[in-house]
Amino acid sequence: MTTATRSTGYAGTLALTALTPIVWGSTYAVTTELLPPDRPLFTALMRALPAGLVLLALTRVLPHGKWLSRAAVLGVLNIGAFFPLLFLAAYRLPGGVAGVLGAVAPMFALGFAAVLLAEAPARRKVIAGVVGVFGVSLVVLRGSAELDLIGVLAGLAGAASMAAGTVLTKKWGRPDGVGPLVMTGWQLTAGGLFIAPLALLIEGAPPALDGEAIGGYLYLGIIGTALAYWLWFRGISRVPATSVAFLGLLSPVSAAVIGWIALGQALTTLQIVGLGVALAATVFGQLPSKPVDGGSERVAGEQVLPASTGSVSAERRSDAESNVNSVAPELVSATTRV
């Protein structure tokens, strides 16, 4: 495979994966305009569990062995903790502010990758992460909207949870013959089951739903969750976790633009500059590395390994082979299911 072919395939994977945070950016407008107020746990439950159960019914594959605990951990980090924190921030903050807090996720991902994957952060990505945080500060600290401390902390905690889940998803890979759609069903179900008792104990009985709320939940469950997470986990299986994490910077850009166009939320000049900085950081975090091994250029984030190496464990090679082998059949089956 030529360098040009690898670059094209890598760019295509990034483009598809980038659709996920763009769609996620609409979550804040949907939550504040269509869903029942002050019910973050119920909203998180309705977004995760129905979609997870539908995917389980479609794929008919259940985790077993060590993947029972792994699916539970990933489900809590990516769904069970992330969703309630996300919606708590969405309820307590304007959409653009709530969304832009997720821009700090790449910095969390760089730290988790250093600890869990033994990946020293590339200087380019550290700079991109700092630039992204700077963009966040322009929007959050200089915005005209009043900031709620609990909402800000919830947004930051949600970003940390999602970053940890992204890195662990990359570290553990997938079982043989299991594709992203199956993993999505496992994690949504595990996360939804984690949320369910919390929602019942803290918020009580479910609220009455009108047509707008039902439509909002259907959109979040089908488009914003099942389809979006399938693309997200597919991307993680093909590119480095830190590169995927940088795509999350597109979510606040999307949220702020939707809040401005659809909800009439004002943006100051500094906030607009901050969103541009966050977008630039996303691109900078994906730039190709310098040529290595005699001048062959690496595709951004692609791991270039010699034919034999003692630094990569057999388990990681097996996980990588499983990811590649399971992609094609999963895409074919997903076309008819989603």
Side-chain angles (χ1 to χ4, degrees):
M1 183 181 294
T2 65
T3 300
T5 302
R6 290 197 304 269
S7 299
T8 302
Y10 187 88
T13 297
L14 285 177
L16 281 176
T17 309
L19 292 177
T20 293
I22 292 175
V23 170
W24 284 343
S26 66
T27 300
Y28 309 100
V30 172
T31 299
T32 56
E33 298 300 309
L34 302 179
L35 304 185
D38 302 322
R39 302 301 293 265
L41 291 176
F42 176 76
T43 296
L45 174 64
M46 290 296 293
R47 180 179 178 184
L49 190 56
L53 292 176
V54 168
L55 290 182
L56 283 185
L58 290 174
T59 57
R60 299 183 180 181
V61 178
L62 296 177
H64 58 86
K66 66 183 180 182
W67 277 99
L68 283 171
S69 59
R70 288 185 174 185
V73 170
L74 293 177
V76 170
L77 290 174
N78 287 322
I79 310 296
F82 175 63
F83 277 9
L85 292 168
L86 173 74
F87 286 113
L88 179 60
Y91 279 121
R92 301 184 71 100
L93 297 169
V97 175
V100 84
L101 289 174
V104 302
M107 294 299 291
F108 286 123
L110 290 174
F112 289 133
V115 174
L116 299 174
L117 304 179
E119 292 182 0
R123 181 180 302 176
R124 179 188 69 256
K125 291 190 176 183
V126 172
I127 294 174
V130 172
V131 171
V133 172
F134 177 68
V136 171
S137 68
L138 289 180
V139 176
V140 176
L141 299 182
R142 303 294 182 88
S144 58
E146 295 183 1
L147 299 181
D148 177 82
L149 179 60
I150 294 178
V152 171
L153 292 177
L156 292 174
S161 179
M162 186 64 176
T166 298
V167 172
L168 275 178
T169 299
K170 185 66 176 182
K171 177 181 176 64
W172 289 338
R174 299 192 302 267
D176 291 339
V178 170
L181 198 64
V182 174
M183 287 289 291
T184 302
W186 290 356
Q187 295 190 44
L188 288 174
T189 302
L193 292 175
F194 176 83
I195 297 170
L198 297 177
L200 182 61
L201 290 174
I202 296 175
E203 296 181 352
L209 302 179
D210 57 17
E212 287 188 345
I214 293 174
Y217 284 129
L218 287 175
Y219 169 80
L220 289 180
I222 298 172
I223 305 298
T225 302
L227 181 59
Y229 268 93
W230 169 62
L231 291 173
W232 187 253
F233 293 135
R234 174 184 177 273
I236 293 175
S237 72
R238 295 187 171 196
V239 300
T242 51
S243 294
V244 175
F246 271 95
L247 294 177
L249 293 172
L250 296 175
S251 182
V253 174
S254 172
V257 171
I258 292 173
W260 172 54
I261 294 176
L263 306 181
Q265 295 175 347
L267 292 174
T268 67
T269 300
L270 281 177
Q271 284 179 302
I272 295 173
V273 171
L275 294 176
V277 170
L279 182 59
T282 303
V283 177
F284 190 52
Q286 309 298 334
L287 291 179
S289 302
K290 295 180 180 180
V292 296
D293 293 338
S296 61
E297 184 176 301
R298 286 174 59 186
V299 177
E302 180 182 4
Q303 294 182 356
V304 180
L305 302 176
S308 61
T309 174
S311 62
V312 180
S313 67
E315 180 179 356
R316 290 181 62 187
R317 287 198 301 271
S318 176
D319 285 344
E321 291 169 0
S322 172
N323 290 342
V324 174
N325 292 336
S326 61
V327 164
E330 183 67 15
L331 291 179
V332 173
S333 62
T335 303
T336 61
R337 293 171 179 165
V338 177

